[in-house]
Amino acid sequence: MAAPVQQPLQPGGGKRKGKAQYLQAKRARRCEGGGPRQLEPGLQGILITCNMNERKCVEEAYSLLNEYGDDMYGPEKFSDKDQQPSGSEGEDDDDVEAALKKEVGDIKASTEMRLRRFQSVESGANNVVFIRTLGIEPEKLVHHILQDMYKTKKKKTRVILRMLPISGTCKAFLEDMKKYAETFLEPWFKAPNKGTFQIVYKSRNNSHMNREEVIKELAGIVGSLNSENKVDLTNPQYTVVVEIIKAVCCLSVVKDYTLLRKYNLQEVVKSAKDSSQLNPKQAAQAGNGKEAKLESGDKSNQNDPAEGKNNQQMVPEKSEELDHTEPTSETQVFLSCGSMRCYWGSI
């Protein structure tokens, strides 16, 4: 009679774990320390692109954000983890007390991890780092960093390319985005507030979103909040940044987007002379851009000098060429709306 087939043994003598057990253990490890470990709806933070070296990018981000965060908000304060109850009731209770102290210490450490001002989480895309923030306003902090670097021309990072504040996140589905944006955009565009604006769209690892629909819907929401909100592609007061990664939509409204070189830390420290040297190449790249109408029967404003200038500014700069390595749909789109028609342009 044939012997029954036995499960293969591990070197230690135990049976090999099934795939489900490995996944459960992996999830448990990822949840240690508390708080979300990956980009998801409901977070605020800072989206950072880099050239290949994500580990170094995170280190630079922590250093830079802590430097300016302490300057704006003061040093972070944590509870004293070394505080422990004094003495013990008896020798029999030593083990129990030690175990209790350890458990309390673990809880404190987990709580502090959740309450840290800056915490890196998985973004879901290559060469992209997301730093979750708590207790600060990302758009003000990042603008302060870029503005200071623009004035001093002091380079402080090597691998970080762009640093975009993310003031809100939601599910990357059109209906969810519309509902979320109606409230999210109010502080900047709801009457009596008003301003000129442009919309920048970028998608990574997502194939179900239609960029034309997203641009049209967001522009319509801005217009419905105040009819005096106008599109300006040359020097807008506000830039609405839409960054989609997998099933998460990241939104922000930033100032001085053109002046601060699309929030690129490598470009913002260059002098005007250095920047002017890039114009011929940028102009050549801009000539390869495509434009299409959102409404049939209208003439394209492709020959509009203001539009051409803006399209040139949207061409990826030399230091960002490695920022597009993953298989994505990474198209930056501007919306241009007149009184009776709208256009979008992609690079």
Side-chain angles (χ1 to χ4, degrees):
M1 183 175 178
V5 178
Q6 295 183 350
Q7 293 288 339
L9 299 178
Q10 290 183 318
K15 292 183 179 180
R16 180 180 298 172
K17 292 183 179 179
K19 183 177 180 181
Q21 290 175 292
Y22 279 116
L23 291 176
Q24 290 175 358
K26 184 177 180 180
R27 292 192 187 102
R29 289 194 300 271
R30 287 167 59 88
C31 293
E32 291 175 359
R37 302 299 298 167
Q38 61 185 4
L39 179 60
E40 62 184 31
L43 295 183
Q44 284 189 334
I46 300 169
L47 189 147
I48 302 171
T49 63
C50 63
N51 278 342
M52 308 305 289
N53 196 336
E54 293 184 20
R55 182 185 296 273
K56 180 64 175 178
C57 177
V58 173
E59 294 176 0
E60 289 188 352
Y62 279 146
S63 176
L64 193 66
L65 293 174
N66 283 320
E67 175 187 346
Y68 285 91
D70 290 350
D71 180 52
M72 291 185 66
Y73 300 97
E76 285 190 271
K77 296 180 180 179
F78 300 105
S79 61
D80 186 2
K81 294 197 297 184
D82 296 331
Q83 284 185 345
Q84 296 183 5
S86 58
S88 60
E89 296 297 330
E91 294 181 359
D92 295 339
D93 297 330
D94 286 346
D95 293 340
V96 176
E97 186 177 1
L100 183 60
K101 287 180 181 179
K102 183 179 184 304
E103 184 175 356
V104 172
D106 292 342
I107 294 174
K108 285 184 178 181
S110 176
T111 302
E112 290 185 356
M113 178 67 74
R114 289 195 300 268
L115 297 178
R116 292 204 57 157
R117 182 181 289 168
F118 305 110
Q119 182 64 46
S120 174
V121 301
E122 294 183 13
S123 68
N126 293 331
N127 301 326
V128 179
V129 170
F130 190 86
I131 305 294
R132 185 193 67 196
T133 61
L134 291 175
I136 69 169
E137 297 174 282
E139 66 278 3
K140 291 186 178 180
L141 176 60
V142 175
H143 185 269
H144 175 64
I145 294 173
L146 269 294
Q147 195 173 46
D148 182 68
M149 295 179 67
Y150 176 78
K151 292 179 180 179
T152 62
K153 301 300 179 184
K154 184 177 180 181
K155 187 175 180 179
K156 296 190 174 184
T157 64
R158 290 179 176 271
V159 301
I160 292 178
L161 296 179
R162 301 175 71 206
M163 181 175 280
L164 293 171
I166 302 301
S167 301
T169 54
C170 64
K171 293 181 180 179
F173 297 95
L174 190 59
E175 290 303 318
D176 295 273
M177 293 170 61
K178 288 166 56 178
K179 184 177 180 181
Y180 185 77
E182 288 174 356
T183 302
F184 175 81
L185 296 172
E186 287 184 353
W188 297 274
F189 301 111
K190 185 176 182 179
N193 297 328
K194 64 179 180 179
T196 57
F197 72 98
Q198 64 184 2
I199 295 176
V200 182
Y201 177 95
K202 197 168 194 178
S203 177
R204 295 178 173 88
N205 298 343
N206 180 293
S207 60
H208 69 269
M209 294 301 303
N210 185 298
R211 63 177 180 270
E212 295 94 333
E213 291 183 2
V214 173
I215 297 295
K216 271 184 76 173
E217 292 296 341
L218 292 181
I221 291 172
V222 174
S224 67
L225 292 174
N226 190 337
S227 60
E228 296 187 30
N229 293 320
K230 303 297 181 182
V231 171
D232 182 352
L233 303 182
T234 304
N235 187 28
Q237 292 175 265
Y238 303 108
T239 296
V240 180
V241 177
V242 184
E243 292 274 347
I244 295 178
I245 303 179
K246 288 188 174 180
V248 180
C249 172
C250 303
L251 290 173
S252 62
V253 179
V254 300
K255 298 185 297 182
D256 300 324
Y257 188 76
T258 303
L259 175 67
L260 300 179
R261 303 304 306 272
K262 301 187 297 182
Y263 281 45
N264 187 312
L265 272 64
Q266 303 299 320
E267 298 297 325
V268 77
V269 297
K270 293 182 179 180
S271 64
K273 182 178 179 180
D274 294 334
S275 300
S276 64
Q277 295 176 355
L278 297 176
N279 287 340
K281 182 177 180 179
Q282 288 180 338
Q285 290 175 326
N288 296 326
K290 298 179 181 179
E291 292 192 2
K293 303 173 189 175
L294 287 182
E295 185 172 331
S296 60
D298 293 322
K299 294 182 179 180
S300 172
N301 55 355
Q302 186 173 357
N303 297 323
D304 184 355
E307 173 111 3
K309 179 180 179 181
N310 191 77
N311 283 341
Q312 176 180 326
Q313 293 169 345
M314 287 311 301
V315 175
E317 284 125 2
K318 185 182 296 184
S319 60
E320 287 188 283
E321 291 176 353
L322 294 180
D323 185 27
H324 309 296
T325 57
E326 67 272 14
T328 63
S329 173
E330 301 184 22
T331 305
Q332 293 181 331
V333 180
F334 279 100
L335 181 73
S336 175
C337 290
S339 58
M340 298 297 293
R341 59 186 180 272
C342 294
Y343 301 100
W344 63 269
S346 62
I347 299 301

